[in-house]
Structures are given as structure tokens and as C-alpha cells.
Amino acid sequence: MSTVATPSRIQDILHQWTITDEHSGVSTGTEWGKGTGERLTSRSPVDGAVIGVVRGASRAEYDQAVAKAQEAFSVWRTWPAPKRGEVVRQIAEELRAHKADLGKLVSYEMGKSYQEGLGEVQEMIDICDFAVGLSRQLHGLTMHSERPDHRMYEQWHPIGLVGIITAFNFPVAVWSWNTALAWVAGDVCLWKPSEKTPFCSLACQRIVAAVFARNGVPEGVSTIINGGREVGEWMANDTRIPLVSATGSTRMGKAVGAAVGQRLGRSLLELGGNNAIIISDKADLDIALRAALFGAVGTAGQRCTTTRRLIIHQDVYAAFRQKLTKAYGQLRIGDPLNEKNHVGPLIDTQAVDLYTKALEAAKAQGGSVLVEGGVLSGEGYESGCYVKPAIVEARPDMPIVQDETFAPILYLLTYAGDITAAIAIQNGVKQGLSSSLMTMDLREMERFLGAAGSDCGIANVNIGTSGAEIGGAFGGEKETGGGRESGSDAWKAYMRRQTNTINYGSQLPLAQGIKFDL
């Protein structure tokens, strides 16, 4: 049974969290500021309707929010980590209760399919569950001292205020990847959401604030500061914020990294991707087809892990091309809240313009269009944000292939010989986020995963480039930024390491045998 949401239904969803058509976008918890800064109009790419207006923060309101967060940190860091974990556990339960509504809001405000909206909320639940267990495992090492009657160990302490800058394509999940870990670590979080999806941030703050209020969590542990680019610049240059986690374009990440680095702060950058699937002549082509199709058109090509390049062995190129073009012919494009559709809209008409220009550039640079793209119009496409997923036969050295276009454009490339040639093509771009190899050959797999193989932060075999699991660290190399979020030991980014040495003896041996006549 399909589910279709109308603007009035979205307003009903917002009403349960007392989010009005014009709402303050500055909050330190249950308290909401006036929001006297920039007016942010949220317009759904689904149908072009205005969801509402959010008032961003002025500089004075930003400073007040940071001061409140500093006060909250002085208390929150003293809570035992398992107690902080219990609060995060309750957040997961609230997210389960609101999964359908929050998923629908994500879908309507951002434009991804309802199934993907639900999946994004599930990611929030999963990272909370991960963080709950982590709250009892924030452990350091013990080391043997070279000095008699001494003990050495290390421990981890909260780092303080964590600034979080997120992008429109995952308007809630990426925030939760950071906050769930930071909160159990004892940090407080200041969130600057994308100005394109402000109502998703308001809903998240309402859900979290209710849990925090029940548990006596101080105001300021969770803070949202909506606004434009200037809010991100305030965070990046603010010495009161020791860590800034930023997700978005490489251009944005370079600016944030430079500003934070100049003041010797820490930055966690998760930026662009130009991800490739290598399809070997030893691949299962049916598995490869499913991986390539979802990787290329999921979220209308607006994931940082979207598959943008297929590097196909020349011996299976013709057969795979035929399978792929047939599959593209079966894609249904339309309202993402209708579960029968596969592809929703791009985020806005600016993204549509970039999509159109990229296709024009691909043709001008010698690419051959295999599946024609284009902007859709007419009934159901009134927002002007719906486009056709396109396929272009191209060369690796084409400038447009080297860049990331945040849209459903897939480039087909070929290689000959062994897997080494394909790996060289895959690695021959500036980005290094996600990669995948389709093969049934063990030797090819090991070469791809070895030190001379994929240079990406994520390297998969017989699955696509998207769909990372919570348990693994997420992020990439080169112009992807080098940051890691989510699972594994990514929690260490949100804490500071301290080495401790205890002398329990009656003497104080000094280094290099130095002695004082005392």
C-alpha cells in the first residue's frame, strides 16, 4: 500500500511538536530564542509548497547559545557515562515512536523516497543503540612503566563543545552520528543544520528536548542554531568550540578546515565523493546491476556515497550495458512519498541547473549519452526539481568525470587487462570516500582491498558504494576530508586523551639518572 503525504499532513506532523509555520530556529533545549536573524523559507522539492519559515540566529543569540552550552558542559561532563548512555537509550525509544512521522518529514522536506526517509531515522536509532553500549566502554590502555613502583595508564575525557554542520541530503542522520557519540562522551553539541532543511532540525530538537527534560539534563547539552553560511563561519572561528564536525562539499570543508586549523582546533570533515564500482569480467552481473542501479539513482544521486562511475571490463561491457539501460527504462520518477516511485526530486532548482550543465559539459567533452536525461515538467512535476537519471559513456580523463555532480548522472568507463588497471582509474580522482569491486575472484578481491588497492575510506566487495553500516567508521581520504564518524573507534574524535603516571613508591627516580643533593 502506497503512502502519499500532502502539505496539510506535514503540518499535522509539525503540529504535534508545536512547530509553527514561522518558527524560531534557535534553541538550547526546551527554551527557544526569538530568532531575530535571517528568515529561512523551507520549500518542499516534492511539490514546491512552502512548509514554513524559520528565523535564524543573530550573532548575539549565537553567543548566548554558546554561553548556555558552556554552562551545560560544566554539569554534563560530571554525569557518569552509563547514565548519559541511559538518556541516549531513551532518545532511541522516542525515535522509534516517531519513526513514521519523522521519516515522512525528511522525505517531504528533502525529497528522498519515504523508504529512505524511514531508513535515515533507523540510522539514528542504530547509532543511539551503538552509543548506549559504548557508554560503558570508553576505556583507555594500561602500560608498564620503566620506573619502579610506578603505574601508567591513559584515560579519555570529554572534549567540550562540539559544533556540528550538516548537509541537506541527510538532514537528521549525520547529526545523530555525531551527537549520540558526543553525548555519551560527555560533550555538548551545537548544531547548524542545512538552511534547506530547517524543519527537520526543529523536529529533532523537540524529540530530544522532551527526553532531556524528563531526565533533568541541563539546557544547552543539545543546541540548534539555524541560519545561513555565517553561522558555520562563527562556529569555525570560535575558540570556545574545540571540535567542529562538518559534512558537505569539499569547498565548504576546506574553508572550515582552514579556519579551525588556524586556531589549532580540531575538525572532523566528511566531504564529497566521486565513487566508483569496478565490474570485473569475473563478476556476477546480476548482483552488479542491483548495486549499480541503487547506488546511482538512490536519493536522486544526492548521497556522498552515490555511485558516479562504473569501471567495466571490456569483455562484459556490452552485456552489462544492455542490462543497465533496460533497468533504467523501468525507473519510476515522481512524488517520493508514493512508495511506488523509485526516484524523487533534486533538492531545488539550483541543483537542477547544475545537473543540466553537467550533462552539457559531458557532451561537449566527448561523452556519448546512453540514457538521455532532462528536466521533467507537467502534472506531478510542478516544483521543477524532477530530472531523469542519465547514463553517459565517457573517458576517465574528462574533467566532468573528475568532478562530483550531486545529481543522478552515471558515467560508464571501460578497462582491459587485470584489476590493476581498473584500480588505477578508480583512484585517479581527487575524492576518496567509497569504492566497490564486483568479482567472484579471490585474488582480485585481495588486490583491491590491499595496500596497493582502493585508496578510499570505504572499500566493498560485491555490494555497492552506498549503504554503510553503523558499526564501521564512516569517512574517506584525500578531498573527502579524512574524518571518521559513526562506529568503530570514531568516538575518540569527541574526547581528549590523557596519559597518567602514578608513583606509589617512596623514591622519585629522575630521567637520565639526574640527581640533586637535597
Side-chain angles (χ1 to χ4, degrees):
M1 181 178 179
S2 62
T3 301
V4 179
T6 63
S8 61
R9 173 58 183 147
I10 295 300
Q11 294 301 330
D12 290 342
I13 289 172
L14 294 175
H15 181 72
Q16 70 176 299
W17 294 308
T18 62
I19 298 172
T20 59
D21 290 345
E22 181 159 350
H23 199 97
S24 170
V26 186
S27 171
T28 58
T30 56
E31 296 179 2
W32 292 75
K34 294 180 180 179
T36 58
E38 182 180 1
R39 291 167 58 93
L40 305 174
T41 300
S42 177
R43 186 181 299 274
S44 172
V46 175
D47 54 16
V50 172
I51 299 173
V53 177
V54 170
R55 292 301 299 261
S58 66
R59 181 59 201 243
E61 290 164 332
Y62 166 84
D63 285 331
Q64 290 169 4
V66 172
K68 177 68 74 172
Q70 288 179 303
E71 292 176 16
F73 176 60
S74 66
V75 177
W76 182 241
R77 65 184 174 185
T78 66
W79 284 38
K83 186 177 179 182
R84 298 191 296 254
E86 166 58 19
V87 175
V88 172
R89 186 196 66 77
Q90 293 177 37
I91 292 172
E93 292 303 308
E94 286 295 310
L95 290 171
R96 287 182 173 93
H98 293 290
K99 180 177 177 180
D101 284 346
L102 185 56
K104 199 167 292 183
L105 176 60
V106 167
S107 179
Y108 187 68
E109 188 171 32
M110 183 267 149
K112 64 176 59 177
S113 72
Y114 180 49
Q115 297 95 316
E116 290 184 81
L118 293 175
E120 184 166 347
V121 180
Q122 187 61 49
E123 286 190 39
M124 302 174 75
I125 295 167
D126 291 344
I127 193 63
C128 286
D129 288 349
F130 178 89
V132 173
L134 182 65
S135 69
R136 296 181 182 271
Q137 300 181 69
L138 301 172
H139 47 68
L141 301 172
T142 58
M143 290 79 73
H144 290 280
S145 174
E146 65 186 35
R147 291 168 287 189
D149 298 334
H150 283 61
R151 181 167 68 90
M152 290 180 63
Y153 67 97
E154 68 178 22
Q155 56 182 331
W156 295 82
H157 295 301
I159 194 172
L161 278 62
V162 176
I164 303 168
I165 302 171
T166 59
F168 72 86
N169 59 330
F170 280 85
V172 296
V174 172
W175 166 73
S176 71
W177 289 0
N178 286 273
T179 53
L181 301 189
W183 285 333
V184 298
D187 299 324
V188 302
C189 298
L190 300 97
W191 180 20
K192 189 270 179 209
S194 169
E195 51 267 45
K196 297 180 181 182
T197 53
F199 280 86
C200 287
S201 71
L202 303 185
C204 288
Q205 183 72 348
R206 287 296 198 193
I207 291 170
V208 168
V211 175
F212 280 6
R214 289 200 304 265
N215 288 272
V217 175
E219 290 275 339
V221 171
S222 177
T223 297
I224 59 169
I225 307 174
N226 270 288
R229 178 178 176 177
E230 69 281 357
V231 175
E233 292 174 345
W234 297 340
M235 283 186 173
N237 289 284
D238 195 335
T239 56
R240 296 170 294 182
I241 303 176
L243 171 65
V244 176
S245 175
T247 302
S249 68
T250 297
R251 176 194 56 78
M252 179 277 294
K254 287 182 176 180
V256 170
V260 176
Q262 190 275 335
R263 60 178 175 86
L264 298 181
R266 292 193 208 172
S267 58
L268 193 165
L269 304 177
E270 200 284 286
L271 311 175
N274 193 350
N275 315 294
I277 297 177
I278 298 171
I279 302 176
S280 162
D281 58 333
K282 304 174 183 64
D284 182 322
L285 296 187
D286 290 333
I287 291 178
L289 177 64
R290 295 177 69 85
L293 185 64
F294 177 70
V297 306
T299 322
Q302 297 173 113
R303 292 179 178 226
C304 52
T305 54
T306 290
T307 303
R308 311 211 178 273
R309 299 174 293 146
L310 295 184
I311 305 167
I312 309 169
H313 195 282
Q314 63 180 12
D315 290 351
V316 296
Y317 182 78
F320 189 80
R321 178 180 59 185
Q322 182 179 13
K323 285 177 175 286
L324 188 63
T325 53
K326 181 180 179 180
Y328 264 59
Q330 299 172 6
L331 292 174
R332 291 187 293 272
I333 307 167
D335 185 343
L337 288 152
N338 184 332
E339 295 174 25
K340 293 181 179 179
N341 292 325
H342 302 114
V343 183
L346 295 179
I347 184 64
D348 54 26
T349 54
Q350 182 182 4
V352 173
D353 185 52
L354 293 173
Y355 158 87
T356 302
K357 289 179 178 178
L359 282 177
E360 292 172 352
K363 295 174 185 178
Q365 294 168 20
S368 175
V369 177
L370 182 62
V371 174
E372 194 71 44
V375 182
L376 296 170
S377 59
E379 185 178 356
Y381 305 123
E382 290 86 356
S383 69
C385 297
Y386 291 87
V387 302
K388 299 177 184 177
I391 301 177
V392 179
E393 295 180 296
R395 303 183 316 276
D397 61 344
M398 290 168 53
I400 194 64
V401 176
Q402 295 284 312
D403 289 334
E404 177 191 40
T405 302
F406 230 50
I409 302 174
L410 180 63
Y411 300 107
L412 303 191
L413 316 171
T414 62
Y415 76 99
D418 67 15
I419 196 68
T420 304
I423 293 172
I425 295 172
Q426 180 211 274
N427 293 349
V429 295
K430 295 174 290 185
Q431 308 86 356
L433 179 52
S434 187
S435 58
S436 180
L437 168 66
M438 298 292 162
T439 185
M440 302 303 290
D441 185 279
L442 180 62
R443 288 173 177 166
E444 285 191 334
M445 178 185 74
E446 291 297 339
R447 287 182 183 177
F448 176 73
L449 299 177
S454 170
D455 64 1
C456 296
I458 299 170
N460 299 326
V461 176
N462 292 330
I463 61 172
T465 57
S466 57
E469 294 186 30
I470 288 298
F474 181 88
E477 302 302 322
K478 300 189 292 189
E479 288 198 355
T480 301
R484 292 298 186 274
E485 298 170 315
S486 191
S488 186
D489 65 348
W491 61 271
K492 293 180 178 178
Y494 305 91
M495 305 194 79
R496 58 183 177 87
R497 187 196 309 249
Q498 184 181 82
T499 301
N500 306 111
T501 306
I502 299 172
N503 177 6
Y504 57 88
S506 58
Q507 302 295 321
L508 181 61
L510 302 177
Q512 288 81 47
I514 295 175
K515 296 182 180 180
F516 292 97
D517 293 326
L518 298 176

